[in-house]
Amino acid sequence: MSRSAHPAGPRHADVLTEGHYSGPPADLNALDPKVWAQTVERDEHGVLAVGGIDVKRLAEEFGTPAYFLDEEDFRARARAWRTAFGDDADVFYAGKAFLSRAVVRWLHEEGLNLDVCSGGELATALSAGMPAERIAFHGNNKSPGEIRRAVEAGVGRIVLDSFQEIVRVAHIAQELGTRQRVQIRITVGVEAHTHEFIATAHEDQKFGIPLAGGQAAEAVRRALKLDGLELIGIHSHIGSQIFDMSGFEVAAHRVVGLLKDIRDEHGVELPEIDLGGGLGIAYTSDDDPREPYEIAKSLTEIVTRECEAARLATPRISVEPGRAVVGPTAFTLYEVGTVKQLDGLRTYVSVDGGMSDNIRTALYDAEYSVSLVSRGSDAEPMLCRVVGKHCESGDIVVKDAYLPGDLAPGDLLAVPATGAYCRSMASNYNHVLRPPVVAVRDGEARVIVRRETEEDLLRLDVG
Ligand code: LLP
């Protein structure tokens, strides 16, 4: 990312966070299509609309803070993945990014499969009618109860993550008188260029079984011996919010290498490989994400080439995008409560949500964009920090943002690209109520996850 080392903003420039500065945008009212959902636009007064409905109306009807999700955009992105990979591959949407029953139905309709990683996600998927055989079950410590439920439901695959789990799943499947289709998740030893907490293919971490040192080969040996398991493939997920394709290519190369070793040792050609999710999206104008067809082309080419060289039949490829499907499709709408100018220091703009609806800034130092969306403004840009309402100084929504200098309480701000890992990682910190998710399409808005209420909180509090 290119950012000036010597910030010189119009106000309080001396206290800019190092490395988070790219200067005021030429036009604060402009909407960069890279970071906003497809149907977002401004009217002649500068009021933002999504799916044909303006944010003032949305705020009045649904309150703030709230996530507004562009259903058309979600479906278009899901379709783009489906089309990019074609009929010889499978796309599993990673439900951890954001899951609700409406989302499950959209995925089903658009021909995607679903990756779940907990009993809760599995229950959501099944209750919305996703056929079990189109569900993959993940996780580094699935409980015996979760495994039993998944096997009973007939999920299409369980992705095994440890030696203990190989035995556990085999026993449960046998007890239930069935053979469970499984993949083994391996770590291929790639250092993905992303935040440490979301990189998952280097060896020193909790996910998967290392390829290095022969552990993955040993896992395959054990799985092939167990009657309760049908080993259908190898899985690799290298991390998340990745822009550099080379990590995926190295992973594909190493997974195919293992398939070849398996063929040589056991005389078995595993029919599938899964190369995980992880494609990055634009949170700010500095980010340049790749398109699904680019990743499809590059992965398909490398797998085909390597398999030809190893004289293996090309396995069926699957991928698991989460963020790249849902991330750009939603924005969070907040109302400004206070604007506090600390002379010579910084301007703090407080909104009515914060780290309980978006923990990513605090957790990963994530960068976001933010815009005034309830009106246009020609005022001079003001450098400020957008913060939440929680009892914590680290409760930051956008660290360094340019907003119009006439910003005032009651204005509405929108933070784009909050469709992934925001509602799904939301908390009740300070007993703040989790916001609703509202799907907007063709002039109609519909709550798909309702706002939490104080009754919801009190219902759980049974002391
Ligand atoms: N498949 C597996 C096995 C995964 O663990 C993940 C994400 C995905 C697919 C989907 O990855 P995506 O395409 O969404 O990057 N909370 C973090 C992200 C954690 C990702 C965990 N696994 C964040 O907010 O950035």
Side-chain angles (χ1 to χ4, degrees), residues 396-419:
I396 297 168
V397 180
V398 186
K399 212 171 234 175
D400 296 311
Y402 279 100
L403 287 166
D406 61 353
L407 194 75
D411 280 334
L412 297 176
L413 295 183
V415 175
T418 57

Side-chain angles (χ1 to χ4, degrees), residues 220 224 234 258-268 270:
V220 169
L224 285 173
I234 300 295
L258 179 61
L259 291 189
K260 179 175 173 295
D261 294 346
I262 295 169
R263 191 263 325 266
D264 293 347
E265 182 178 342
H266 305 280
V268 174
L270 298 184

Side-chain angles (χ1 to χ4, degrees), residues 159-458:
V159 183
L160 303 172
D161 197 274
S162 66
F163 284 103
Q164 287 90 352
E165 203 173 76
I166 293 174
V167 177
R168 227 170 257 162
V169 173
H171 279 164
I172 291 172
Q174 260 190 317
E175 258 174 52
L176 294 171
T178 182
R179 240 179 135 211
Q180 177 60 48
R181 288 159 60 86
V182 295
Q183 293 189 337
I184 293 176
R185 176 166 174 177
I186 65 166
T187 42
V188 293
V190 173
E191 297 283 341
H193 299 285
T194 188
H195 192 281
E196 179 197 346
F197 292 178
I198 52 178
T200 54
H202 54 296
E203 275 126 18
D204 182 5
Q205 51 126 339
K206 69 172 186 164
F207 294 108
I209 299 177
L211 185 61
Q215 286 205 49
E218 177 56 22
V220 169
R221 247 168 247 136
R222 294 193 195 176
L224 285 173
K225 280 199 196 115
L226 293 167
D227 288 339
L229 305 181
E230 180 188 349
L231 181 61
I232 57 166
I234 300 295
H235 183 286
S236 155
H237 169 75
I238 62 170
S240 200
Q241 186 58 5
I242 297 168
F243 292 100
D244 179 3
M245 295 293 290
S246 61
F248 294 105
E249 288 168 8
V250 174
H253 169 77
R254 294 192 181 158
V255 170
V256 174
L258 179 61
L259 291 189
K260 179 175 173 295
D261 294 346
I262 295 169
R263 191 263 325 266
D264 293 347
E265 182 178 342
H266 305 280
V268 174
E269 290 200 20
L270 298 184
E272 294 184 12
I273 64 175
D274 188 307
L275 294 167
L279 200 67
I281 63 162
Y283 285 100
T284 73
S285 297
D286 290 335
D287 296 326
D288 284 310
R290 301 299 189 89
E291 295 294 327
Y293 74 86
E294 293 180 80
I295 192 163
K297 184 166 179 291
S298 135
L299 292 183
T300 311
E301 272 174 15
I302 186 158
V303 171
T304 310
R305 194 174 64 232
E306 303 270 328
C307 287
E308 271 169 15
R311 278 179 280 117
L312 282 168
T314 307
R316 192 171 175 85
I317 299 176
S318 50
V319 288
E320 299 170 337
R323 187 191 319 263
V325 177
V326 69
T329 68
F331 60 82
T332 314
L333 191 64
Y334 299 103
E335 184 177 311
V336 174
T338 67
V339 179
K340 191 182 282 182
Q341 289 170 357
L342 303 183
D343 285 339
L345 284 173
R346 195 185 297 280
T347 297
Y348 284 91
V349 173
S350 292
V351 296
D352 48 359
M355 65 194 298
S356 57
D357 59 71
N358 185 354
I359 190 66
R360 299 192 68 262
T361 308
L363 191 56
Y364 313 117
D365 216 6
E367 290 178 41
Y368 280 91
S369 327
V370 57
S371 295
L372 168 63
V373 291
S374 45
R375 61 186 172 90
S377 168
D378 295 327
E380 279 295 298
M382 155 181 82
L383 180 63
C384 54
R385 178 162 289 178
V386 179
V387 296
K389 61 178 285 166
H390 295 274
C391 299
E392 183 124 354
S393 319
D395 174 24
I396 297 168
V397 180
V398 186
K399 212 171 234 175
D400 296 311
Y402 279 100
L403 287 166
D406 61 353
L407 194 75
D411 280 334
L412 297 176
L413 295 183
V415 175
T418 57
Y421 303 111
C422 286
R423 181 58 179 76
S424 67
M425 293 173 81
S427 77
N428 285 122
Y429 183 39
N430 296 144
H431 283 203
V432 168
L433 305 167
R434 285 179 295 176
V437 182
V438 180
V440 190
R441 188 189 191 189
D442 292 337
E444 276 180 39
R446 166 170 84 92
V447 175
I448 59 170
V449 179
R450 73 161 166 77
R451 186 182 299 284
E452 217 162 21
T453 62
E454 287 174 5
E455 291 74 57
D456 290 328
L457 286 186
L458 293 172

Side-chain angles (χ1 to χ4, degrees), residues 7-237:
R11 212 191 255 191
H12 307 333
D14 49 331
V15 289
L16 266 166
T17 314
E18 204 182 331
H20 288 81
Y21 177 75
S22 51
D27 176 6
L28 281 183
N29 301 308
L31 299 171
D32 183 345
K34 273 203 292 190
V35 298
W36 291 93
Q38 259 172 37
T39 72
V40 164
E41 58 192 358
R42 280 190 196 266
D43 69 12
E44 67 276 20
H45 306 292
V47 182
L48 188 111
V50 58
I53 311 186
D54 81 61
V55 290
K56 286 161 100 168
R57 222 182 97 196
L58 290 171
E60 219 164 89
E61 190 171 344
F62 302 102
T64 57
Y67 308 96
F68 291 98
L69 192 157
D70 183 341
E71 180 181 339
E72 202 50 61
D73 193 16
F74 183 100
R75 287 176 180 274
R77 286 174 197 276
R79 269 198 302 277
W81 278 90
R82 192 75 208 85
T83 313
F85 278 88
D87 291 337
D88 297 330
D90 296 302
V91 181
F92 286 75
Y93 168 79
K96 66 205 80 185
F98 172 63
L99 196 64
S100 77
R101 292 202 268 201
V103 161
V104 174
R105 285 192 291 270
W106 301 340
L107 293 166
H108 192 184
E109 285 163 16
E110 301 297 343
L112 272 70
N113 300 350
L114 181 61
D115 140 13
V116 301
C117 66
S118 70
E121 288 186 0
L122 179 62
T124 305
L126 292 173
S127 80
M130 180 59 88
E133 65 273 15
R134 285 174 50 193
I135 299 176
F137 189 29
H138 269 283
N140 67 303
N141 188 19
K142 308 165 190 79
S143 74
E146 287 174 320
I147 295 170
R148 179 171 289 273
R149 221 165 0 128
V151 176
E152 272 171 350
V155 298
R157 62 168 81 148
I158 294 182
V159 183
L160 303 172
D161 197 274
S162 66
F163 284 103
Q164 287 90 352
E165 203 173 76
I166 293 174
V167 177
R168 227 170 257 162
V169 173
H171 279 164
I172 291 172
Q174 260 190 317
E175 258 174 52
L176 294 171
T178 182
R179 240 179 135 211
Q180 177 60 48
R181 288 159 60 86
V182 295
Q183 293 189 337
I184 293 176
R185 176 166 174 177
I186 65 166
T187 42
V188 293
V190 173
E191 297 283 341
H193 299 285
T194 188
H195 192 281
E196 179 197 346
F197 292 178
I198 52 178
T200 54
H202 54 296
E203 275 126 18
D204 182 5
Q205 51 126 339
K206 69 172 186 164
F207 294 108
I209 299 177
L211 185 61
Q215 286 205 49
E218 177 56 22
V220 169
R221 247 168 247 136
R222 294 193 195 176
L224 285 173
K225 280 199 196 115
L226 293 167
D227 288 339
L229 305 181
E230 180 188 349
L231 181 61
I232 57 166
I234 300 295
H235 183 286
S236 155
H237 169 75

